[in-house]
Amino acid sequence: MRKFILYANIMVLLFFLATDLMADVVTVFEHTYVRETGSPKARTNTFSGIKGPATIRVTNGGLEGADNKKVSNADIVLNGETIIDSSNFHQNVEIVDVEKTLDGRINTIEVTVKGKPGGALTVQVLAEDGDVDFDGDGFTRVDGDCDDNNSSVNPGATEIKKNGIDDDCNALTPDDDTGVNLPPDPGEEGKKTLLGIDTDGDGVRDDIQRYIYFTYPDDKKLRLGLTYYAIEFQGVLKDANDREASYDHATKMHRNVECLFYLKDEEAIDICNALRAKILNTRERSMAYITYSDNLGGRVISGAPLKEWKGSCSFDVDDTGGDQ
């Protein structure tokens, strides 16, 4: 009985391990080729490198729902090798799957559609996502590529210190020798919403928090000034449709700008412009800023006298370390 229970537990464990290891099959390439008038012409496309097995699927007439006629014949050449011709593809064929093992290089596919004009076929290339080199840097997820959407990040890259990125995908060569706890780079996910991602809840978007630190790692006072400016800017975007809230944010941002001028004089102009460009990095954010600006029409924002700009800082300048 105990042996049976042990065996059953092992089988359950193996089942879950197998489930975890199963990779998703993704469509690496998809294109519909239509027979045009005139002599048949070969059309060439490329797709990402795949290290391992791939399925080249050819659907006569196009995918489900397509309003296309079938073709009577076609020639398809993959990386110089003919994989489809009249021997395995004709007008009575619905779908043909050709299995190939690829070597990781960028692939070239050449398609010549034959028969009467108007016919079409769709070529798809399917593979397990871990075998696909999406960014073309020569490494797949199975190879240890920790960011396969960034060709400069892979196990063969050189680690760049203090850029906040694990360039070589190796935890043994970290670049976080900054002495601070920064949130991870949100990447493209951080651009999908108006307010972005703020994982530590400090009021500053993660990408902006990282930008401020890595751009000015040796100037703590400037980083603080820009942080308060960025917090207020986040409110600008959030309340862009509220006229009174927009005016309140504008007044506070003006104080923050006075602080930055106290810290950096006229250099603050370029510093603020650069930060604003980073903040308004999507169309949605730019449109929200335009709405905010429109809400300020006819309103007057009074500035503090030059001698009081130090007091415009939202932190104690004298008790803060760093340059100045």
Side-chain angles (χ1 to χ4, degrees):
M1 181 66 178
R2 291 179 63 186
K3 289 183 177 180
F4 173 79
I5 294 174
L6 177 61
Y7 175 76
N9 287 337
I10 291 174
M11 293 303 295
V12 170
L13 176 61
L14 291 174
F15 170 79
F16 283 111
L17 286 174
T19 302
D20 289 340
L21 292 173
M22 289 177 62
D24 292 332
V25 174
V26 295
T27 302
V28 181
F29 173 81
E30 180 178 299
H31 190 81
T32 297
Y33 299 87
V34 179
R35 171 70 168 95
E36 306 290 351
T37 58
S39 300
K41 295 181 180 179
R43 278 167 285 177
T44 302
N45 296 94
T46 60
F47 59 89
S48 301
I50 300 170
K51 286 187 178 179
T55 300
I56 295 81
R57 176 167 295 168
V58 184
T59 305
N60 206 351
L63 300 181
E64 185 177 355
D67 187 21
N68 294 314
K69 300 177 182 178
K70 292 182 179 180
V71 303
S72 61
N73 194 7
D75 293 332
I76 299 179
V77 179
L78 176 65
N79 298 329
E81 176 190 357
T82 299
I83 61 171
I84 293 287
D85 58 20
S86 58
S87 66
N88 58 354
F89 189 79
H90 47 78
Q91 62 185 6
N92 295 323
V93 171
E94 297 282 347
I95 295 176
V96 171
D97 283 349
V98 178
E99 306 295 333
K100 302 296 293 184
T101 298
L102 303 177
D103 60 7
R105 62 176 172 166
I106 297 297
N107 298 280
T108 301
I109 192 164
E110 183 180 291
V111 179
T112 305
V113 183
K114 301 177 181 179
K116 295 181 180 180
L121 58 81
T122 298
V123 176
Q124 296 171 294
V125 179
L126 312 174
E128 293 186 354
D129 60 352
D131 293 332
V132 183
D133 179 16
F134 290 102
D135 56 14
D137 60 6
F139 295 87
T140 67
R141 183 167 58 82
V142 170
D143 294 328
D145 195 335
C146 55
D147 185 354
D148 206 22
N149 292 310
N150 185 345
S151 60
S152 63
V153 174
N154 59 68
T158 300
E159 186 64 41
I160 301 172
K161 292 293 185 180
K162 295 188 177 184
N163 71 344
I165 300 173
D166 184 9
D167 305 277
D168 65 355
C169 298
N170 186 352
L172 298 179
T173 56
D175 79 333
D176 58 352
D177 52 357
T178 58
V180 297
N181 185 21
L182 293 172
D185 183 357
E188 291 302 310
E189 286 296 316
K191 298 180 181 180
K192 291 184 177 180
T193 61
L194 176 65
L195 300 181
I197 297 174
D198 177 16
T199 55
D200 57 9
D202 64 351
V204 183
R205 273 183 5 221
D206 290 351
D207 59 316
I208 298 304
Q209 184 178 348
R210 292 170 61 83
Y211 166 79
I212 291 172
Y213 186 88
F214 289 116
T215 306
Y216 309 103
D218 301 318
D219 195 332
K220 185 176 181 180
K221 293 180 182 180
L222 177 57
R223 294 201 308 271
L224 281 170
L226 291 175
T227 296
Y228 282 104
Y229 178 87
I231 290 173
E232 207 58 51
F233 216 126
Q234 191 78 335
V236 163
L237 300 181
K238 179 173 69 72
D239 299 324
N241 295 311
D242 187 323
R243 179 175 169 80
E244 290 306 315
S246 292
Y247 180 70
D248 183 57
H249 288 306
T251 301
K252 293 177 180 177
M253 283 187 66
H254 195 75
R255 299 285 87 78
N256 290 323
V257 171
E258 290 171 350
C259 171
L260 293 170
F261 264 87
Y262 168 76
L263 296 174
K264 291 297 177 182
D265 203 69
E266 292 187 0
E267 186 183 349
I269 297 174
D270 291 335
I271 292 173
C272 286
N273 286 341
L275 178 57
R276 184 164 59 247
K278 291 291 183 180
I279 294 174
L280 302 177
N281 61 348
T282 67
R283 184 178 187 278
E284 182 183 17
R285 291 165 184 167
S286 295
M287 294 302 295
Y289 185 71
I290 291 173
T291 300
Y292 153 79
S293 299
D294 290 343
N295 282 335
L296 301 180
R299 309 294 291 268
V300 177
I301 299 174
S302 300
L306 176 61
K307 63 181 180 180
E308 297 179 8
W309 282 3
K310 180 179 179 180
S312 295
C313 294
S314 299
F315 57 94
D316 190 331
V317 175
D318 294 327
D319 284 349
T320 304
D323 295 342
Q324 176 60 27

